[in-house]
Amino acid sequence: MTTITLVQGDITRQSVDAIVNAANSSLLGGGGVDGAIHRRGGPAILDDCRRLRASHYGKGLPTGQAVATTAGELDAQWVIHTVGPVWSATDDRSGQLASCYRESLRIADELGARTVAFPAISTGIYGWPIDDGARIAAETVRAATPTAVEEVRFVLFDERAYEAFARHVH
Ligand code: AR6
């Protein structure tokens, strides 16, 4: 049984087994959550990401997939990097966004993580409308069975995002 909790705040301040990063395909950093995670987690995360690019992910991490690295100096064991889709008004990419949550939880299970913090993937720089992003996140996590993850914690940066998630997490 997975409990879903909501927190308003900075995902890099969470104490959990795994922190999910809203990354990009390069795995080499960026703005938003990604920038904050690399800043606070320190260079060990980027070192792991570079190793992944030099081995399994030569062309980068495809949209909708997830991969784990060390969490460096963050208060977590792992960072799970996933690549959300860029919002499109003409092309329905919600399957890819759902896949980010599902694949991140699958990786969390492989690692043995029991507590996992997620940001609102794709709802920042990638432009996904927050209400729809919250709906997809909540529905996908609720449907993701079986999983041994005990707590999925959605960490929302601002009040608007928090309220959107509160509407969809019952
Ligand atoms: N803690 C929690 N949530 C945050 C934080 C934080 N420290 N910072 C931002 N958010 P974004 P995306 C919220 O842009 O849309 C990067 O450059 C933010 O308000 O981080 O998936 C990557 O490298 C928003 O609701 O991720 C990619 O190129 C949510 O987190 C690209 O951005 C996601 O915003 C990915 O864009």
Side-chain angles (χ1 to χ4, degrees):
M1 177 73 190
T2 309
T3 304
I4 299 177
T5 55
L6 299 183
V7 169
Q8 191 183 327
D10 180 345
I11 200 164
T12 67
R13 300 286 188 178
Q14 302 299 307
S15 305
V16 283
D17 294 333
I19 292 176
V20 176
N21 181 19
N24 62 64
S25 287
S26 81
L27 291 174
L28 300 178
V33 172
D34 197 7
I37 283 176
H38 282 284
R39 259 193 316 275
R40 192 170 297 278
I45 300 174
L46 193 55
D47 288 347
D48 266 10
C49 286
R50 289 211 175 95
R51 274 192 284 275
L52 287 167
R53 285 300 307 273
S55 55
H56 282 70
Y57 295 99
K59 292 179 182 162
L61 181 65
T63 304
Q65 293 190 28
V67 69
T69 66
T70 176
E73 292 160 34
L74 296 172
D75 192 8
Q77 289 207 54
W78 304 282
V79 170
I80 298 173
H81 306 262
T82 188
V83 182
V86 175
W87 162 258
S88 161
T90 51
D91 182 20
D92 180 7
R93 300 176 180 166
S94 41
Q96 289 180 319
L97 184 54
S99 176
C100 288
Y101 289 97
R102 212 168 29 241
E103 286 299 301
S104 296
L105 283 176
R106 190 178 63 75
I107 298 291
D109 270 330
E110 278 181 16
L111 296 166
R114 293 289 183 264
T115 52
V116 181
F118 279 95
I121 299 164
S122 287
T123 67
I125 292 163
Y126 281 178
W128 206 285
I130 187 66
D131 191 72
D132 198 53
R135 178 187 62 80
I136 291 167
E139 284 177 2
T140 307
V141 166
R142 225 180 277 123
T145 48
T147 171
V149 173
E150 289 161 6
E151 182 193 354
V152 166
R153 187 182 307 169
F154 290 118
V155 183
L156 297 321
F157 212 35
D158 56 33
E159 199 170 328
R160 198 164 150 259
Y162 182 91
E163 281 166 5
F165 273 72
R167 281 193 290 278
H168 292 284
V169 172
H170 307 292

Coordinates of all heavy atoms in Angstrom, one line a residue, residues 9-13 21-37 39 82-86 97 118-128 130 155-158 161 165, ligand 1:
G9 N 7.4 23.0 -1.1 CA 8.8 23.3 -0.7 C 9.8 22.9 -1.8 O 9.4 22.7 -2.9
D10 N 11.0 22.8 -1.3 CA 12.1 22.6 -2.2 C 12.5 21.1 -2.2 O 12.8 20.6 -1.1 CB 13.3 23.5 -1.8 CG 14.6 23.3 -2.6 OD1 14.7 22.4 -3.4 OD2 15.5 24.2 -2.4
I11 N 12.5 20.5 -3.3 CA 12.7 19.0 -3.3 C 14.1 18.6 -2.9 O 14.3 17.6 -2.3 CB 12.4 18.4 -4.7 CG1 12.2 16.9 -4.6 CG2 13.5 18.8 -5.7 CD1 11.5 16.3 -5.8
T12 N 15.1 19.6 -3.0 CA 16.4 19.2 -2.6 C 16.6 19.2 -1.1 O 17.7 18.9 -0.6 CB 17.5 20.2 -3.2 OG1 17.2 21.5 -2.6 CG2 17.4 20.3 -4.7
R13 N 15.6 19.7 -0.3 CA 15.6 19.7 1.1 C 14.9 18.5 1.7 O 14.8 18.4 3.0 CB 14.9 20.9 1.7 CG 15.5 22.2 1.2 CD 16.8 22.5 1.9 NE 17.3 23.8 1.6 CZ 18.4 24.3 2.2 NH1 19.1 23.6 3.0 NH2 18.8 25.5 1.8
N21 N 14.5 13.6 -10.4 CA 14.9 14.8 -11.0 C 14.2 14.9 -12.4 O 14.1 14.0 -13.2 CB 16.4 14.7 -11.3 CG 16.9 16.0 -12.0 OD1 16.3 17.0 -12.0 ND2 18.1 15.8 -12.6
A22 N 13.6 16.1 -12.6 CA 13.0 16.4 -13.9 C 14.1 16.9 -14.8 O 14.4 18.1 -15.0 CB 11.9 17.5 -13.8
A23 N 14.8 15.9 -15.4 CA 16.0 16.1 -16.2 C 15.7 16.4 -17.7 O 14.6 16.5 -18.1 CB 17.0 14.9 -16.0
N24 N 16.8 16.5 -18.5 CA 16.6 16.5 -19.9 C 17.5 15.3 -20.5 O 18.2 14.7 -19.7 CB 17.0 17.8 -20.5 CG 18.4 18.2 -20.3 OD1 19.3 17.5 -20.8 ND2 18.7 19.2 -19.5
S25 N 17.3 15.0 -21.8 CA 17.9 13.8 -22.3 C 19.4 13.8 -22.2 O 20.0 12.7 -22.1 CB 17.6 13.7 -23.8 OG 16.3 13.3 -24.0
S26 N 20.1 15.0 -22.1 CA 21.5 15.0 -22.0 C 22.0 14.5 -20.7 O 23.2 14.0 -20.6 CB 22.0 16.5 -22.2 OG 21.9 17.2 -21.0
L27 N 21.2 14.5 -19.7 CA 21.6 14.1 -18.3 C 22.7 15.0 -17.7 O 23.3 14.7 -16.7 CB 22.0 12.6 -18.2 CG 20.9 11.6 -18.4 CD1 21.6 10.2 -18.5 CD2 19.9 11.6 -17.3
L28 N 23.0 16.1 -18.4 CA 24.2 16.9 -18.0 C 23.8 18.2 -17.3 O 24.6 19.1 -17.1 CB 25.1 17.1 -19.2 CG 25.6 15.9 -19.9 CD1 26.5 16.2 -21.1 CD2 26.4 15.0 -18.9
G29 N 22.6 18.3 -16.8 CA 22.1 19.4 -16.0 C 21.3 20.4 -16.8 O 21.1 20.3 -18.0
G30 N 20.8 21.4 -16.1 CA 19.9 22.4 -16.7 C 19.4 23.3 -15.6 O 20.1 23.5 -14.6
G31 N 18.2 23.9 -15.8 CA 17.6 24.8 -14.9 C 16.6 24.1 -14.0 O 16.7 22.9 -13.9
G32 N 15.8 24.9 -13.3 CA 14.7 24.3 -12.5 C 15.1 23.3 -11.5 O 16.2 23.5 -10.8
V33 N 14.4 22.2 -11.3 CA 14.7 21.2 -10.3 C 16.1 20.6 -10.6 O 16.9 20.4 -9.7 CB 13.7 20.0 -10.4 CG1 14.1 18.9 -9.6 CG2 12.3 20.5 -10.0
D34 N 16.4 20.4 -11.9 CA 17.6 19.8 -12.3 C 18.8 20.6 -11.8 O 19.7 20.1 -11.2 CB 17.6 19.7 -13.9 CG 18.6 18.8 -14.5 OD1 19.3 18.1 -13.7 OD2 18.7 18.8 -15.7
G35 N 18.7 21.9 -12.1 CA 19.8 22.8 -11.6 C 20.0 22.8 -10.1 O 21.1 22.7 -9.6
A36 N 18.8 22.8 -9.4 CA 18.8 22.8 -7.9 C 19.5 21.5 -7.4 O 20.2 21.5 -6.4 CB 17.4 23.0 -7.4
I37 N 19.1 20.4 -8.0 CA 19.6 19.1 -7.5 C 21.1 19.0 -7.7 O 21.9 18.6 -6.8 CB 18.9 17.9 -8.3 CG1 17.5 17.7 -7.6 CG2 19.7 16.6 -8.2 CD1 16.6 16.7 -8.3
R39 N 23.2 21.5 -8.0 CA 23.9 22.5 -7.1 C 24.0 22.0 -5.7 O 25.1 22.0 -5.1 CB 23.1 23.8 -7.1 CG 23.6 24.9 -8.0 CD 23.0 26.3 -7.7 NE 21.5 26.2 -7.6 CZ 20.7 26.3 -8.6 NH1 21.1 26.3 -9.8 NH2 19.4 26.3 -8.3
T82 N 14.6 11.4 -14.7 CA 13.6 11.1 -15.7 C 13.4 12.3 -16.7 O 13.6 13.4 -16.2 CB 12.3 10.6 -15.1 OG1 11.5 10.1 -16.2 CG2 11.6 11.7 -14.4
V83 N 13.1 12.0 -17.9 CA 12.9 13.1 -18.9 C 11.5 13.2 -19.3 O 10.9 12.3 -19.9 CB 13.8 12.8 -20.1 CG1 13.6 14.0 -21.1 CG2 15.2 12.6 -19.7
G84 N 10.8 14.3 -18.8 CA 9.5 14.6 -19.2 C 9.4 15.1 -20.6 O 10.3 15.6 -21.2
P85 N 8.1 15.0 -21.2 CA 7.9 15.6 -22.5 C 7.7 17.1 -22.4 O 7.2 17.6 -21.4 CB 6.6 14.9 -23.0 CG 5.9 14.6 -21.7 CD 7.0 14.3 -20.6
V86 N 8.1 17.8 -23.5 CA 7.8 19.2 -23.6 C 6.3 19.2 -24.0 O 5.8 18.5 -24.8 CB 8.6 19.8 -24.8 CG1 8.2 21.3 -25.0 CG2 10.1 19.7 -24.4
L97 N 4.4 11.4 -20.3 CA 4.5 12.0 -18.9 C 4.1 10.9 -17.9 O 4.8 10.8 -16.8 CB 3.5 13.2 -18.8 CG 3.6 13.9 -17.4 CD1 5.0 14.3 -17.1 CD2 2.7 15.2 -17.4
F118 N 8.9 13.2 -5.6 CA 8.7 13.6 -7.0 C 8.4 15.1 -7.1 O 7.6 15.6 -6.4 CB 7.5 12.9 -7.7 CG 7.7 11.5 -8.1 CD1 7.3 10.5 -7.3 CD2 8.1 11.3 -9.4 CE1 7.4 9.2 -7.7 CE2 8.2 9.9 -9.8 CZ 7.9 8.9 -9.0
P119 N 9.0 15.8 -8.1 CA 8.6 17.1 -8.5 C 7.4 17.0 -9.5 O 7.1 15.8 -9.9 CB 9.8 17.7 -9.2 CG 10.4 16.5 -9.9 CD 10.1 15.3 -9.0
A120 N 6.8 18.1 -9.8 CA 5.7 18.1 -10.9 C 6.4 18.1 -12.2 O 6.6 19.2 -12.8 CB 4.8 19.3 -10.7
I121 N 6.7 16.9 -12.7 CA 7.5 16.8 -13.9 C 6.9 17.5 -15.1 O 5.6 17.4 -15.3 CB 7.7 15.3 -14.2 CG1 8.4 14.6 -13.1 CG2 8.4 15.1 -15.6 CD1 8.3 13.0 -13.1
S122 N 7.7 18.2 -15.9 CA 7.3 18.9 -17.1 C 6.5 20.2 -16.9 O 6.2 20.8 -17.9 CB 6.5 18.0 -18.1 OG 7.3 17.0 -18.7
T123 N 6.1 20.5 -15.7 CA 5.2 21.6 -15.5 C 6.0 23.0 -15.3 O 5.3 24.0 -15.1 CB 4.3 21.4 -14.3 OG1 5.1 21.5 -13.1 CG2 3.6 20.1 -14.3
G124 N 7.3 23.0 -15.5 CA 8.1 24.2 -15.4 C 8.5 24.6 -16.8 O 7.7 25.0 -17.6
I125 N 9.8 24.5 -17.0 CA 10.4 24.9 -18.3 C 9.7 24.2 -19.5 O 9.6 24.7 -20.6 CB 11.9 24.6 -18.2 CG1 12.6 25.6 -17.2 CG2 12.6 24.8 -19.6 CD1 14.0 25.2 -16.8
Y126 N 9.3 23.0 -19.3 CA 8.7 22.2 -20.4 C 7.2 22.5 -20.6 O 6.5 22.0 -21.5 CB 8.9 20.7 -20.2 CG 10.2 20.2 -20.5 CD1 10.6 18.9 -20.4 CD2 11.2 21.1 -21.1 CE1 11.9 18.4 -20.7 CE2 12.5 20.6 -21.4 CZ 12.8 19.3 -21.3 OH 14.0 18.8 -21.6
G127 N 6.6 23.4 -19.8 CA 5.4 24.1 -20.1 C 4.1 23.3 -19.9 O 3.0 23.8 -20.4
W128 N 4.1 22.2 -19.3 CA 2.8 21.4 -19.1 C 1.9 22.1 -18.2 O 2.3 22.5 -17.1 CB 3.2 20.0 -18.6 CG 2.1 19.0 -19.0 CD1 0.8 18.9 -18.5 CD2 2.2 18.0 -20.0 NE1 0.2 17.9 -19.1 CE2 1.0 17.3 -20.0 CE3 3.3 17.6 -20.8 CZ2 0.8 16.3 -20.9 CZ3 3.0 16.6 -21.7 CH2 1.8 15.9 -21.8
I130 N -0.3 23.0 -15.2 CA -0.1 22.3 -13.9 C -1.3 21.4 -13.5 O -1.1 20.3 -12.9 CB 0.2 23.4 -12.7 CG1 0.5 22.7 -11.4 CG2 -0.9 24.4 -12.6 CD1 1.8 21.9 -11.4
V155 N 6.5 16.9 -4.1 CA 7.0 18.2 -3.6 C 6.8 19.3 -4.5 O 7.4 19.3 -5.6 CB 8.5 18.0 -3.2 CG1 9.1 19.3 -2.5 CG2 8.7 16.8 -2.3
L156 N 5.9 20.2 -4.2 CA 5.5 21.3 -5.1 C 6.1 22.6 -4.6 O 6.0 23.0 -3.5 CB 4.0 21.3 -5.1 CG 3.2 20.1 -5.6 CD1 3.9 19.5 -6.8 CD2 2.9 19.1 -4.5
F157 N 6.6 23.3 -5.6 CA 7.4 24.5 -5.3 C 6.6 25.6 -4.8 O 6.9 26.4 -3.9 CB 8.2 24.9 -6.6 CG 9.5 25.5 -6.3 CD1 10.3 25.1 -5.3 CD2 10.0 26.5 -7.2 CE1 11.5 25.7 -5.0 CE2 11.2 27.1 -6.9 CZ 12.0 26.7 -5.9
D158 N 5.4 25.8 -5.4 CA 4.6 27.0 -5.1 C 3.2 26.5 -4.7 O 2.8 25.4 -4.9 CB 4.6 28.0 -6.2 CG 4.1 27.5 -7.5 OD1 3.3 26.6 -7.5 OD2 4.7 27.9 -8.5
A161 N 0.8 25.1 -7.5 CA 1.1 23.6 -7.8 C 0.6 22.8 -6.7 O 0.0 21.7 -7.0 CB 2.6 23.5 -8.0
F165 N -2.3 19.7 -7.1 CA -2.1 18.3 -6.6 C -3.1 18.0 -5.6 O -3.6 16.8 -5.6 CB -0.6 18.1 -6.1 CG 0.3 17.7 -7.3 CD1 0.7 18.7 -8.2 CD2 0.8 16.4 -7.4 CE1 1.6 18.4 -9.2 CE2 1.6 16.1 -8.5 CZ 2.0 17.0 -9.4
Ligands
AR6_1 N1 11.8 21.9 -5.7 C1 10.6 21.5 -6.1 N2 10.0 21.9 -7.3 C2 10.7 22.7 -8.1 C3 12.0 23.2 -7.7 C4 12.6 22.7 -6.5 N3 13.8 23.1 -6.1 N4 12.4 24.0 -8.7 C5 11.4 24.1 -9.6 N5 10.4 23.3 -9.2 P1 11.3 22.2 -14.1 P2 10.5 20.5 -16.4 C6 9.1 23.0 -9.9 O1 11.4 23.4 -15.0 O2 9.3 21.4 -16.7 C7 15.6 21.8 -16.8 O3 16.4 22.7 -17.4 C8 8.7 24.0 -11.0 O4 8.0 25.1 -10.4 O5 12.3 21.9 -13.1 O6 10.3 19.0 -16.4 C9 15.9 20.3 -17.3 O7 17.3 20.2 -17.5 C10 7.8 23.1 -11.8 O8 6.4 23.0 -11.2 O9 11.2 20.8 -15.0 C11 15.1 20.2 -18.5 O10 15.8 20.8 -19.6 C12 8.4 21.7 -11.7 O11 9.3 21.8 -10.6 C13 13.8 21.0 -18.2 O12 14.2 22.0 -17.2 C14 9.2 21.2 -12.9 O13 9.9 22.3 -13.5 C15 12.8 20.2 -17.6 O14 11.6 20.9 -17.5

